[in-house]
Structure formats: structure tokens, C-alpha cells
């Protein structure tokens, strides 16, 4: 899979990032997301694959593109029968977030990315449009920290695994009212807190790379993004656990269905018999081969955002593969016009 479509999925996230970045700082989060979706879908439909969106643009609304269940790839083109034999193409499941952090783009803030994860059919957990309690940590802490333990306990374990004092640890938490007690506990345990308004995929991913000064992600965020984070962390050997949150009273902010009972019924309909199950990265991204790709829209911890120059743009992307056990950072100059010189800065 990596050798077949590895480069092309980089171009998919690059095109989404470039399109969205043109709306950076303009206060139009919906448009920033819409153009990213269009660009991602257009490039995705040129890839020689039989793709199916399992996590996409809104389970609850009638998203016109990259909606859950949509088929993507070269065989979706109108004249596909002239050059495409579906039986010869690789069949994959795809999880996408064309603009992770729409508010970050709209208001010119750091940390927004275009992201996707792919695996063979059935290899990604089709998470409902709920919330998820998440715990991400570096590879050294994998299997030692546990989402069922308190933040105090996990900070102590992290401290031992990373050979750092609690005061040297940084935990990322979404700045939400539901996390008030969690934030107090983390601080009382001696660790420092980095609050983010959006974009917890980037935070989870950063835990797996040394030098980012991010040592854990804790708290509740969107479940679909949890699956995408899990795919990356599985490839990187980092720790990730997720537990679906179906009670609106726990979330406090955002949409999560009409009631706790209604959400439990939805999970049952989806075949989820244990709504309180804690999922590992290997369960959320269970495929034999998993690929993750991201491209910075605005500057982030791991990647620069899109930088325009006259006649072109420069992007930084990351592609991670379980197949080759690699994490490749890709620096690309996109030449929209015939270049006189290539801008390197």
C-alpha cells in the first residue's frame, strides 16, 4: 500500500492545506473547511484505488463531499469504465479531516493541519460522531500509563518512564469547561498544562516525537479525530487509548445527540455492545498496514504552515507508515506559475 499510494496521499493533504490556507485569518471557518474538502476530494479521486470514507465530513449532516460511506478513487470518474477495472485496484478505508482546526485557520492561530489515515478495508474503527476520552503518551510510557488511572497517577508513571520530574512534564488539554477539574489535578500533581482551543490530533502526534516538549494529551475531544490520532500513534509506537463518551452531561459543550439513552441506542445499532470499552491504538487502527499523512495549514509543533510566494507556495508534510516503520517529513515547493527562481525561505 505504501509503495502504491504513499506519495499520492501526501499530495492529497498538501492540496487540502494549500486551499484552506488561502482563507487563513479571514474569519471564515466554514469556507476554510469547505475548500479543503473540495481540494482533498478532487486529488483523492485521481488515485488508483477503491476507497471508502469511514470517517469524514459529518455523520449527522448531509455533507456533499467526503461523507461517511462515500466511494473515492479513480473509478468514481464518469469515464472510469474506459480505463478502470475495480477488481484490479486496492480496496481501502479512509479517515479524513481536511481542515483539523477550522477556528485556528479562521483566526490565524497555530496548529491547524490537513490529515488523513488509511488502511485496508475494515482496518479503521468507524467511530460515531461522538466524543472520546483520550490519553496519548510517548513510546516509553506505552502500556504503563492507563486511561482508567487518575491524572495524578499517570503523571507519576510518566515521570518514571521518561526520567523526568513532574515539573518537567507538559500535558496538553483542550480548553473546555469540562476539563476544569482535570486541569487543577494536573497542576496539583506538579506538571505544567498547555491549553489548546482546537486541534488535538497534532497534540497527540507530538507526544511520540522527542523534542516537542509535549509529554501527554489528556481529556475529552472528538471521537473521529481520536481514530486518526490512534492510526498515527500505532505507526509511531506511542501510547494511545480512547473511550467513547455518550453522555451529553459529561461533554458540557458541543453536539452529542439528544440524550444519553438515545446515544446508547445508536451505539447498539452500530454493533458496539460495550459502550464503555477502552480502545487501544491497535484496536482503533487494526489494519495490517496503516498510513497517516498530514500537512500543516498554519504553523505547528511538527510542521510549518503553508507559505506563499509569488507564483507558488511551500508546504511541510508528514507521512507515517506501519509497513516501513518510517516517519517522513516532506518539504515541497509548489510552482503555480513557471518559476524564475525557487523560493527557499
Amino acid at each position: 500500500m505504501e509503495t502504491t499510494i504513499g506519495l499520492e496521499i501526501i499530495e492529497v493533504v498538501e492540496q487540502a492545506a494549500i486551499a484552506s490556507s488561502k482563507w487563513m485569518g479571514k474569519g471564515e471557518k466554514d469556507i476554510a473547511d469547505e475548500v479543503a474538502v473540495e481540494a482533498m476530494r478532487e486529488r483523492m479521486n485521481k488515485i488508483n484505488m477503491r476507497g471508502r470514507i469511514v470517517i469524514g465530513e459529518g455523520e449527522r449532516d448531509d455533507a456533499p463531499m467526503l461523507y461517511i460511506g462515500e466511494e473515492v478513487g479513480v473509478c468514481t470518474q464518469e469515464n472510469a469504465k474506459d480505463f478502470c477495472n475495480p477488481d484490479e485496484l486496492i480496496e481501502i478505508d479512509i479517515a479524513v479531516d481536511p481542515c483539523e482546526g477550522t477556528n485556528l485557520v479562521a483566526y490565524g492561530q497555530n496548529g491547524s493541519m490537513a490529515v488523513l489515515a488509511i488502511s485496508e478495508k475494515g482496518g479503521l474503527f468507524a467511530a460515531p460522531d461522538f466524543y472520546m476520552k483520550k490519553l496519548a503518551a510517548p513510546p516509553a510510557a506505552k502500556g504503563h500509563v492507563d486511561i482508567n488511572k487518575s491524572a495524578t497517577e499517570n503523571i507519576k508513571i510518566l515521570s518514571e518512564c521518561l526520567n523526568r520530574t513532574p515539573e518537567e512534564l507538559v500535558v496538553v488539554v483542550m480548553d473546555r469547561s469540562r476539563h476544569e477539574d482535570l486541569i487543577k489535578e494536573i497542576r496539583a500533581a506538579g506538571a505544567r498544562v498547555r491549553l489548546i482551543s482546537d486541534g488535538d490530533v497534532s497534540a497527540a502526534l507530538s507526544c511520540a516525537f522527542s523534542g516537542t516538549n509535549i509529554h501527554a494529551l489528556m481529556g475529552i475531544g472528538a471521537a473521529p479525530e481520536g481514530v486518526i490520532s490512534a492510526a498515527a500513534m500505532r505507526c509511531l509506537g506511542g501510547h494511545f487509548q480512547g473511550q467513547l463518551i455518550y453522555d451529553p452531561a459529561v461533554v458540557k459543550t458541543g453536539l452529542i445527540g439528544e440524550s444519553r439513552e438515545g446515544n446508547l441506542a445508536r451505539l447498539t445499532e452500530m454493533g458496539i455492545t460495550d459502550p464503555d470499552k477502552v480502545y487501544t491504538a491497535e484496536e482503533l487502527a487494526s489494519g495490517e498496514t496503516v498510513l497517516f499523512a498530514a500537512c500543516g495549514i498554519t504553523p505547528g509543533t511538527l510542521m510549518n504552515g503553508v507559505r506563499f510566494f509569488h507564483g507558488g507556495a511551500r508546504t511541510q508534510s508528514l507521512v507515517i507508515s506501519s509497513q516501513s516503520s518510517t516517519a517522513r517529513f516532506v518539504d515541497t515547493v509548489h510552482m503555480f506559475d513557471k518559476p524564475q527562481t525557487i523560493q527557499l525561505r
Side-chain angles (χ1 to χ4, degrees):
M1 185 186 298
E2 179 185 1
T3 55
T4 304
I5 60 176
L7 177 60
E8 292 193 280
I9 65 167
I10 297 174
E11 293 182 357
V12 168
V13 291
E14 286 175 345
Q15 292 306 309
I18 290 171
S20 185
S21 67
K22 293 177 180 178
W23 288 88
M24 189 276 292
K26 294 187 176 183
E28 300 283 355
K29 72 183 186 71
D30 291 338
I31 298 178
D33 183 59
E34 180 182 334
V35 296
V37 170
E38 292 175 353
M40 177 172 280
R41 182 175 183 263
E42 180 180 355
R43 181 62 184 88
M44 200 175 284
N45 280 339
K46 297 176 182 177
I47 300 177
N48 289 312
M49 66 176 181
R50 295 168 60 193
R52 179 175 67 103
I53 302 297
V54 296
I55 290 176
E57 286 296 290
E59 179 187 1
R60 298 180 185 277
D61 52 50
D62 296 323
M65 297 180 184
L66 298 183
Y67 54 84
I68 295 172
E70 182 180 12
E71 295 182 355
V72 292
V74 70
C75 280
T76 61
Q77 298 182 23
E78 292 183 5
N79 61 336
K81 63 181 181 180
D82 297 335
F83 57 83
C84 172
N85 182 354
D87 294 334
E88 296 176 353
L89 299 179
I90 187 170
E91 195 170 7
I92 62 173
D93 283 354
I94 309 171
V96 302
D97 193 344
C99 182
E100 207 249 340
T102 54
N103 283 318
L104 301 177
V105 179
Y107 301 111
Q109 298 170 340
N110 290 355
S112 181
M113 308 185 299
V115 298
L116 63 79
I118 68 175
S119 186
E120 65 269 13
K121 186 176 180 180
L124 296 175
F125 179 68
D129 201 5
F130 283 8
Y131 281 76
M132 178 181 280
K133 183 180 179 182
K134 306 173 187 178
L135 174 62
K142 183 176 176 65
H144 298 287
V145 292
D146 193 301
I147 201 169
N148 289 317
K149 294 178 179 177
S150 68
T152 302
E153 291 175 293
N154 281 324
I155 288 169
K156 182 176 184 297
I157 295 168
L158 269 173
S159 178
E160 294 169 352
C161 290
L162 302 180
N163 194 28
R164 292 170 177 260
T165 65
E167 290 75 18
E168 294 172 324
L169 299 176
V170 175
V171 180
V172 174
V173 181
M174 296 277 283
D175 189 5
R176 300 289 189 271
S177 59
R178 59 179 174 263
H179 292 146
E180 289 179 359
D181 291 340
L182 173 63
I183 292 167
K184 290 177 182 177
E185 182 179 355
I186 293 170
R187 288 170 173 165
R192 294 170 291 160
V193 176
R194 179 180 294 182
L195 294 175
I196 59 172
S197 61
D198 298 279
D200 65 354
V201 174
S202 176
L205 187 63
S206 296
C207 294
F209 289 90
S210 62
T212 62
N213 199 36
I214 294 176
H215 308 105
L217 167 71
M218 297 182 184
I220 297 171
E225 282 78 358
V227 176
I228 296 174
S229 299
M233 294 298 273
R234 180 199 151 176
C235 297
L236 293 166
H239 181 95
F240 188 89
Q241 290 173 290
Q243 184 180 38
L244 292 174
I245 301 296
Y246 48 84
D247 189 347
V250 174
V251 176
K252 295 184 180 180
T253 56
L255 298 174
I256 188 177
E258 297 180 359
S259 67
R260 179 180 185 275
E261 293 71 23
N263 289 334
L264 283 170
R266 285 188 65 224
L267 292 176
T268 300
E269 291 173 2
M270 296 178 66
I272 298 175
T273 56
D274 181 3
D276 297 312
K277 176 180 171 62
V278 173
Y279 296 90
T280 65
E282 289 73 19
E283 291 171 316
L284 294 171
S286 61
E288 182 178 346
T289 301
V290 177
L291 290 175
F292 169 91
C295 182
I297 301 175
T298 57
T301 303
L302 293 172
M303 295 168 289
N304 277 320
V306 178
R307 292 152 291 167
F308 291 98
F309 56 87
H310 181 67
R314 189 175 182 182
T315 60
Q316 281 196 331
S317 305
L318 169 63
V319 59
I320 310 171
S321 169
S322 68
Q323 185 175 354
S324 61
S325 299
T326 55
R328 293 186 173 94
F329 288 89
V330 181
D331 198 329
T332 306
V333 174
H334 304 262
M335 295 169 282
F336 306 149
D337 301 326
K338 185 177 180 180
Q340 300 301 314
T341 58
I342 294 178
Q343 182 76 29
L344 291 180
R345 299 187 182 190

Short mmCIF file of all heavy atoms in Angstrom, two decimals, residues 234-286:
data_model
loop_
_atom_site.label_atom_id
_atom_site.label_comp_id
_atom_site.label_asym_id
_atom_site.label_seq_id
_atom_site.Cartn_x
_atom_site.Cartn_y
_atom_site.Cartn_z
N ARG A 234 -0.19 4.38 16.46
CA ARG A 234 0.13 2.97 16.26
C ARG A 234 1.39 2.84 15.41
O ARG A 234 2.28 2.03 15.69
CB ARG A 234 -1.04 2.25 15.57
CG ARG A 234 -0.70 0.78 15.35
CD ARG A 234 -1.54 0.11 14.32
NE ARG A 234 -0.78 -0.97 13.70
CZ ARG A 234 -1.29 -1.80 12.80
NH1 ARG A 234 -2.53 -1.67 12.41
NH2 ARG A 234 -0.53 -2.73 12.29
N CYS A 235 1.47 3.63 14.35
CA CYS A 235 2.65 3.57 13.47
C CYS A 235 3.92 4.00 14.20
O CYS A 235 5.00 3.49 13.91
CB CYS A 235 2.43 4.47 12.25
SG CYS A 235 1.07 3.98 11.17
N LEU A 236 3.79 4.95 15.12
CA LEU A 236 4.95 5.51 15.81
C LEU A 236 5.31 4.75 17.09
O LEU A 236 6.34 5.03 17.70
CB LEU A 236 4.68 6.97 16.16
CG LEU A 236 4.58 7.93 14.96
CD1 LEU A 236 3.98 9.27 15.41
CD2 LEU A 236 5.94 8.14 14.31
N GLY A 237 4.45 3.81 17.50
CA GLY A 237 4.73 3.07 18.72
C GLY A 237 4.38 3.82 19.98
O GLY A 237 4.78 3.42 21.09
N GLY A 238 3.65 4.92 19.84
CA GLY A 238 3.27 5.70 21.01
C GLY A 238 2.06 5.11 21.71
O GLY A 238 1.41 4.18 21.21
N HIS A 239 1.77 5.63 22.88
CA HIS A 239 0.62 5.15 23.65
C HIS A 239 -0.61 5.96 23.28
O HIS A 239 -0.59 7.20 23.27
CB HIS A 239 0.88 5.31 25.16
CG HIS A 239 -0.26 4.82 26.02
ND1 HIS A 239 -0.30 3.55 26.54
CD2 HIS A 239 -1.41 5.43 26.43
CE1 HIS A 239 -1.41 3.39 27.23
NE2 HIS A 239 -2.10 4.52 27.18
N PHE A 240 -1.71 5.27 22.99
CA PHE A 240 -2.99 5.95 22.78
C PHE A 240 -4.11 5.04 23.25
O PHE A 240 -4.16 3.86 22.90
CB PHE A 240 -3.22 6.31 21.32
CG PHE A 240 -4.44 7.19 21.12
CD1 PHE A 240 -4.33 8.56 21.19
CD2 PHE A 240 -5.70 6.63 20.91
CE1 PHE A 240 -5.44 9.37 21.06
CE2 PHE A 240 -6.82 7.43 20.78
CZ PHE A 240 -6.70 8.81 20.84
N GLN A 241 -5.00 5.61 24.04
CA GLN A 241 -6.23 4.94 24.45
C GLN A 241 -7.39 5.90 24.25
O GLN A 241 -7.24 7.12 24.42
CB GLN A 241 -6.17 4.52 25.93
CG GLN A 241 -5.22 3.39 26.25
CD GLN A 241 -5.13 3.17 27.75
OE1 GLN A 241 -4.58 3.99 28.47
NE2 GLN A 241 -5.68 2.05 28.21
N GLY A 242 -8.55 5.33 23.89
CA GLY A 242 -9.74 6.15 23.72
C GLY A 242 -10.96 5.43 24.25
O GLY A 242 -11.09 4.21 24.14
N GLN A 243 -11.86 6.20 24.83
CA GLN A 243 -13.11 5.65 25.37
C GLN A 243 -14.25 6.57 24.94
O GLN A 243 -14.23 7.77 25.20
CB GLN A 243 -13.04 5.57 26.90
CG GLN A 243 -14.27 4.93 27.55
CD GLN A 243 -14.13 4.89 29.07
OE1 GLN A 243 -13.61 5.82 29.68
NE2 GLN A 243 -14.59 3.80 29.67
N LEU A 244 -15.24 6.01 24.26
CA LEU A 244 -16.35 6.81 23.75
C LEU A 244 -17.13 7.45 24.90
O LEU A 244 -17.38 6.83 25.92
CB LEU A 244 -17.29 5.95 22.91
CG LEU A 244 -16.72 5.43 21.58
CD1 LEU A 244 -17.71 4.48 20.92
CD2 LEU A 244 -16.39 6.59 20.64
N ILE A 245 -17.50 8.71 24.69
CA ILE A 245 -18.33 9.44 25.65
C ILE A 245 -19.68 9.67 25.00
O ILE A 245 -19.78 10.31 23.96
CB ILE A 245 -17.68 10.79 26.03
CG1 ILE A 245 -16.29 10.57 26.63
CG2 ILE A 245 -18.58 11.56 26.99
CD1 ILE A 245 -16.28 9.81 27.93
N TYR A 246 -20.72 9.13 25.61
CA TYR A 246 -22.06 9.18 25.02
C TYR A 246 -23.04 9.99 25.86
O TYR A 246 -24.21 10.15 25.50
CB TYR A 246 -22.60 7.76 24.83
CG TYR A 246 -22.45 6.88 26.04
CD1 TYR A 246 -23.38 6.92 27.08
CD2 TYR A 246 -21.35 6.02 26.16
CE1 TYR A 246 -23.23 6.13 28.21
CE2 TYR A 246 -21.20 5.23 27.29
CZ TYR A 246 -22.13 5.28 28.30
OH TYR A 246 -21.97 4.50 29.43
N ASP A 247 -22.58 10.51 26.98
CA ASP A 247 -23.46 11.27 27.88
C ASP A 247 -23.24 12.77 27.67
O ASP A 247 -22.17 13.29 27.98
CB ASP A 247 -23.17 10.89 29.33
CG ASP A 247 -24.19 11.47 30.30
OD1 ASP A 247 -24.96 12.35 29.90
OD2 ASP A 247 -24.20 11.02 31.46
N PRO A 248 -24.25 13.50 27.17
CA PRO A 248 -24.10 14.94 26.95
C PRO A 248 -23.73 15.69 28.22
O PRO A 248 -23.07 16.73 28.15
CB PRO A 248 -25.49 15.37 26.44
CG PRO A 248 -26.07 14.13 25.85
CD PRO A 248 -25.57 13.01 26.70
N ALA A 249 -24.13 15.18 29.37
CA ALA A 249 -23.83 15.86 30.63
C ALA A 249 -22.34 15.87 30.92
O ALA A 249 -21.84 16.76 31.62
CB ALA A 249 -24.58 15.20 31.78
N VAL A 250 -21.61 14.89 30.39
CA VAL A 250 -20.16 14.82 30.61
C VAL A 250 -19.44 15.82 29.71
O VAL A 250 -18.49 16.48 30.11
CB VAL A 250 -19.64 13.39 30.36
CG1 VAL A 250 -18.12 13.34 30.43
CG2 VAL A 250 -20.26 12.42 31.35
N VAL A 251 -19.91 15.92 28.48
CA VAL A 251 -19.24 16.77 27.49
C VAL A 251 -19.42 18.25 27.81
O VAL A 251 -18.50 19.05 27.69
CB VAL A 251 -19.77 16.46 26.08
CG1 VAL A 251 -19.16 17.40 25.06
CG2 VAL A 251 -19.46 15.02 25.71
N LYS A 252 -20.64 18.64 28.19
CA LYS A 252 -20.99 20.01 28.58
C LYS A 252 -21.06 20.98 27.41
O LYS A 252 -21.86 21.89 27.40
CB LYS A 252 -20.04 20.55 29.65
CG LYS A 252 -20.10 19.81 30.97
CD LYS A 252 -19.20 20.46 32.01
CE LYS A 252 -19.26 19.70 33.33
NZ LYS A 252 -18.38 20.31 34.35
N THR A 253 -20.18 20.83 26.44
CA THR A 253 -20.19 21.74 25.29
C THR A 253 -20.22 20.93 24.01
O THR A 253 -19.68 19.83 23.94
CB THR A 253 -18.95 22.63 25.27
OG1 THR A 253 -17.78 21.81 25.29
CG2 THR A 253 -18.91 23.57 26.46
N GLY A 254 -20.87 21.44 22.98
CA GLY A 254 -20.86 20.77 21.69
C GLY A 254 -22.05 19.83 21.53
O GLY A 254 -22.77 19.52 22.47
N LEU A 255 -22.26 19.36 20.31
CA LEU A 255 -23.36 18.47 19.98
C LEU A 255 -22.95 17.02 20.21
O LEU A 255 -21.90 16.60 19.81
CB LEU A 255 -23.78 18.67 18.52
CG LEU A 255 -24.30 20.06 18.16
CD1 LEU A 255 -24.54 20.14 16.66
CD2 LEU A 255 -25.57 20.38 18.92
N ILE A 256 -23.82 16.27 20.85
CA ILE A 256 -23.54 14.85 21.07
C ILE A 256 -24.85 14.07 21.16
O ILE A 256 -25.05 13.22 22.01
CB ILE A 256 -22.69 14.65 22.34
CG1 ILE A 256 -22.23 13.20 22.47
CG2 ILE A 256 -23.43 15.14 23.57
CD1 ILE A 256 -21.34 12.91 23.63
N GLY A 257 -25.78 14.34 20.29
CA GLY A 257 -27.03 13.61 20.29
C GLY A 257 -28.04 14.23 21.24
O GLY A 257 -27.75 15.18 21.98
N GLU A 258 -29.23 13.69 21.24
CA GLU A 258 -30.31 14.27 22.02
C GLU A 258 -30.28 13.86 23.49
O GLU A 258 -30.66 14.62 24.37
CB GLU A 258 -31.65 13.86 21.39
CG GLU A 258 -31.84 14.40 19.98
CD GLU A 258 -33.18 13.99 19.39
OE1 GLU A 258 -33.92 13.26 20.09
OE2 GLU A 258 -33.46 14.38 18.25
N SER A 259 -29.83 12.64 23.77
CA SER A 259 -29.85 12.16 25.14
C SER A 259 -28.87 11.01 25.32
O SER A 259 -28.43 10.39 24.35
CB SER A 259 -31.25 11.68 25.53
OG SER A 259 -31.60 10.52 24.79
N ARG A 260 -28.56 10.71 26.57
CA ARG A 260 -27.69 9.58 26.89
C ARG A 260 -28.31 8.28 26.40
O ARG A 260 -27.63 7.44 25.79
CB ARG A 260 -27.46 9.53 28.41
CG ARG A 260 -26.58 8.40 28.88
CD ARG A 260 -26.44 8.47 30.40
NE ARG A 260 -25.50 7.47 30.89
CZ ARG A 260 -25.81 6.22 31.16
NH1 ARG A 260 -27.06 5.79 30.96
NH2 ARG A 260 -24.90 5.39 31.60
N GLU A 261 -29.60 8.13 26.63
CA GLU A 261 -30.28 6.90 26.22
C GLU A 261 -30.30 6.76 24.70
O GLU A 261 -30.11 5.65 24.16
CB GLU A 261 -31.71 6.90 26.77
CG GLU A 261 -31.80 6.79 28.28
CD GLU A 261 -31.36 8.05 29.01
OE1 GLU A 261 -31.40 9.14 28.38
OE2 GLU A 261 -30.98 7.96 30.20
N GLY A 262 -30.56 7.86 24.02
CA GLY A 262 -30.57 7.83 22.55
C GLY A 262 -29.21 7.48 21.98
O GLY A 262 -29.10 6.74 20.99
N ASN A 263 -28.16 8.00 22.59
CA ASN A 263 -26.82 7.71 22.12
C ASN A 263 -26.44 6.25 22.37
O ASN A 263 -25.78 5.63 21.53
CB ASN A 263 -25.81 8.63 22.81
CG ASN A 263 -25.91 10.06 22.32
OD1 ASN A 263 -26.35 10.31 21.20
ND2 ASN A 263 -25.52 11.00 23.16
N LEU A 264 -26.86 5.71 23.49
CA LEU A 264 -26.61 4.29 23.75
C LEU A 264 -27.32 3.42 22.72
O LEU A 264 -26.76 2.41 22.26
CB LEU A 264 -27.06 3.94 25.16
CG LEU A 264 -26.14 4.38 26.30
CD1 LEU A 264 -26.83 4.20 27.65
CD2 LEU A 264 -24.83 3.62 26.27
N ALA A 265 -28.52 3.82 22.34
CA ALA A 265 -29.26 3.07 21.32
C ALA A 265 -28.54 3.12 19.98
O ALA A 265 -28.48 2.12 19.26
CB ALA A 265 -30.68 3.62 21.19
N ARG A 266 -27.97 4.26 19.65
CA ARG A 266 -27.22 4.40 18.40
C ARG A 266 -26.00 3.49 18.39
O ARG A 266 -25.67 2.87 17.38
CB ARG A 266 -26.77 5.85 18.20
CG ARG A 266 -27.89 6.78 17.77
CD ARG A 266 -27.35 8.14 17.41
NE ARG A 266 -26.50 8.06 16.25
CZ ARG A 266 -25.32 8.68 16.12
NH1 ARG A 266 -24.84 9.38 17.11
NH2 ARG A 266 -24.63 8.56 15.02
N LEU A 267 -25.32 3.41 19.52
CA LEU A 267 -24.14 2.55 19.60
C LEU A 267 -24.53 1.08 19.43
O LEU A 267 -23.82 0.32 18.77
CB LEU A 267 -23.44 2.75 20.95
CG LEU A 267 -22.76 4.11 21.15
CD1 LEU A 267 -22.17 4.22 22.55
CD2 LEU A 267 -21.67 4.35 20.11
N THR A 268 -25.65 0.71 20.01
CA THR A 268 -26.13 -0.66 19.85
C THR A 268 -26.44 -0.97 18.40
O THR A 268 -26.10 -2.05 17.89
CB THR A 268 -27.39 -0.89 20.71
OG1 THR A 268 -27.07 -0.65 22.09
CG2 THR A 268 -27.90 -2.32 20.56
N GLU A 269 -27.06 -0.01 17.71
CA GLU A 269 -27.36 -0.18 16.28
C GLU A 269 -26.09 -0.35 15.46
O GLU A 269 -26.09 -1.04 14.44
CB GLU A 269 -28.15 1.03 15.77
CG GLU A 269 -29.57 1.12 16.32
CD GLU A 269 -30.24 2.42 15.92
OE1 GLU A 269 -29.61 3.21 15.17
OE2 GLU A 269 -31.39 2.65 16.34
N MET A 270 -25.01 0.27 15.90
CA MET A 270 -23.74 0.19 15.19
C MET A 270 -22.97 -1.09 15.53
O MET A 270 -21.89 -1.32 15.01
CB MET A 270 -22.87 1.41 15.52
CG MET A 270 -23.45 2.73 15.05
SD MET A 270 -22.40 4.13 15.51
CE MET A 270 -20.95 3.81 14.52
N GLY A 271 -23.52 -1.90 16.42
CA GLY A 271 -22.86 -3.15 16.80
C GLY A 271 -21.87 -2.99 17.93
O GLY A 271 -21.09 -3.92 18.21
N ILE A 272 -21.88 -1.83 18.60
CA ILE A 272 -20.98 -1.61 19.74
C ILE A 272 -21.70 -2.05 21.00
O ILE A 272 -22.59 -1.37 21.52
CB ILE A 272 -20.57 -0.13 19.83
CG1 ILE A 272 -19.80 0.28 18.57
CG2 ILE A 272 -19.72 0.13 21.07
CD1 ILE A 272 -19.46 1.75 18.49
N THR A 273 -21.36 -3.24 21.49
CA THR A 273 -22.08 -3.85 22.61
C THR A 273 -21.55 -3.40 23.97
O THR A 273 -22.24 -3.52 24.98
CB THR A 273 -22.00 -5.38 22.53
OG1 THR A 273 -20.62 -5.78 22.47
CG2 THR A 273 -22.70 -5.88 21.26
N ASP A 274 -20.31 -2.91 24.00
CA ASP A 274 -19.73 -2.43 25.26
C ASP A 274 -19.41 -0.94 25.08
O ASP A 274 -18.32 -0.57 24.64
CB ASP A 274 -18.46 -3.21 25.59
CG ASP A 274 -17.84 -2.75 26.91
OD1 ASP A 274 -18.43 -1.87 27.58
OD2 ASP A 274 -16.76 -3.26 27.27
N PRO A 275 -20.36 -0.05 25.42
CA PRO A 275 -20.16 1.38 25.17
C PRO A 275 -19.04 1.99 26.00
O PRO A 275 -18.53 3.06 25.66
CB PRO A 275 -21.51 2.00 25.54
CG PRO A 275 -22.11 1.03 26.51
CD PRO A 275 -21.66 -0.32 26.07
N ASP A 276 -18.65 1.33 27.08
CA ASP A 276 -17.60 1.87 27.96
C ASP A 276 -16.23 1.25 27.70
O ASP A 276 -15.28 1.48 28.46
CB ASP A 276 -17.99 1.63 29.43
CG ASP A 276 -19.27 2.37 29.82
OD1 ASP A 276 -19.36 3.57 29.49
OD2 ASP A 276 -20.16 1.75 30.41
N LYS A 277 -16.11 0.49 26.64
CA LYS A 277 -14.84 -0.16 26.32
C LYS A 277 -13.73 0.86 26.11
O LYS A 277 -13.94 1.92 25.50
CB LYS A 277 -15.00 -0.99 25.04
CG LYS A 277 -13.71 -1.65 24.54
CD LYS A 277 -13.95 -2.45 23.28
CE LYS A 277 -12.65 -2.94 22.64
NZ LYS A 277 -11.90 -3.84 23.53
N VAL A 278 -12.56 0.56 26.61
CA VAL A 278 -11.36 1.37 26.35
C VAL A 278 -10.62 0.76 25.17
O VAL A 278 -10.22 -0.41 25.21
CB VAL A 278 -10.45 1.42 27.59
CG1 VAL A 278 -9.14 2.13 27.26
CG2 VAL A 278 -11.17 2.14 28.74
N TYR A 279 -10.45 1.54 24.13
CA TYR A 279 -9.80 1.07 22.91
C TYR A 279 -8.34 1.48 22.89
O TYR A 279 -7.98 2.60 23.27
CB TYR A 279 -10.49 1.66 21.67
CG TYR A 279 -11.92 1.23 21.48
CD1 TYR A 279 -12.96 1.97 22.05
CD2 TYR A 279 -12.24 0.10 20.74
CE1 TYR A 279 -14.29 1.60 21.87
CE2 TYR A 279 -13.56 -0.28 20.55
CZ TYR A 279 -14.58 0.46 21.13
OH TYR A 279 -15.89 0.09 20.94
N THR A 280 -7.50 0.58 22.44
CA THR A 280 -6.08 0.90 22.23
C THR A 280 -5.88 1.40 20.80
O THR A 280 -6.78 1.29 19.95
CB THR A 280 -5.20 -0.33 22.45
OG1 THR A 280 -5.53 -1.32 21.44
CG2 THR A 280 -5.43 -0.93 23.83
N ALA A 281 -4.70 1.91 20.52
CA ALA A 281 -4.38 2.34 19.16
C ALA A 281 -4.49 1.18 18.18
O ALA A 281 -4.96 1.34 17.05
CB ALA A 281 -2.97 2.94 19.11
N GLU A 282 -4.08 0.00 18.63
CA GLU A 282 -4.11 -1.18 17.78
C GLU A 282 -5.53 -1.64 17.48
O GLU A 282 -5.76 -2.30 16.46
CB GLU A 282 -3.32 -2.32 18.43
CG GLU A 282 -1.82 -2.10 18.46
CD GLU A 282 -1.37 -1.06 19.47
OE1 GLU A 282 -2.15 -0.74 20.41
OE2 GLU A 282 -0.25 -0.53 19.33
N GLU A 283 -6.48 -1.29 18.33
CA GLU A 283 -7.88 -1.63 18.08
C GLU A 283 -8.58 -0.58 17.22
O GLU A 283 -9.43 -0.90 16.40
CB GLU A 283 -8.62 -1.79 19.41
CG GLU A 283 -8.19 -3.03 20.19
CD GLU A 283 -8.76 -3.06 21.58
OE1 GLU A 283 -8.74 -2.00 22.26
OE2 GLU A 283 -9.20 -4.14 22.02
N LEU A 284 -8.22 0.68 17.41
CA LEU A 284 -8.82 1.74 16.61
C LEU A 284 -8.27 1.77 15.20
O LEU A 284 -8.97 2.16 14.25
CB LEU A 284 -8.59 3.10 17.29
CG LEU A 284 -9.30 3.29 18.64
CD1 LEU A 284 -8.82 4.56 19.31
CD2 LEU A 284 -10.81 3.33 18.46
N ALA A 285 -7.03 1.37 15.04
CA ALA A 285 -6.39 1.24 13.72
C ALA A 285 -5.81 -0.16 13.65
O ALA A 285 -4.62 -0.37 13.87
CB ALA A 285 -5.31 2.30 13.54
N SER A 286 -6.66 -1.13 13.31
CA SER A 286 -6.30 -2.54 13.44
C SER A 286 -5.76 -3.17 12.16
O SER A 286 -5.39 -4.34 12.16
CB SER A 286 -7.53 -3.33 13.89
OG SER A 286 -8.58 -3.22 12.93
#
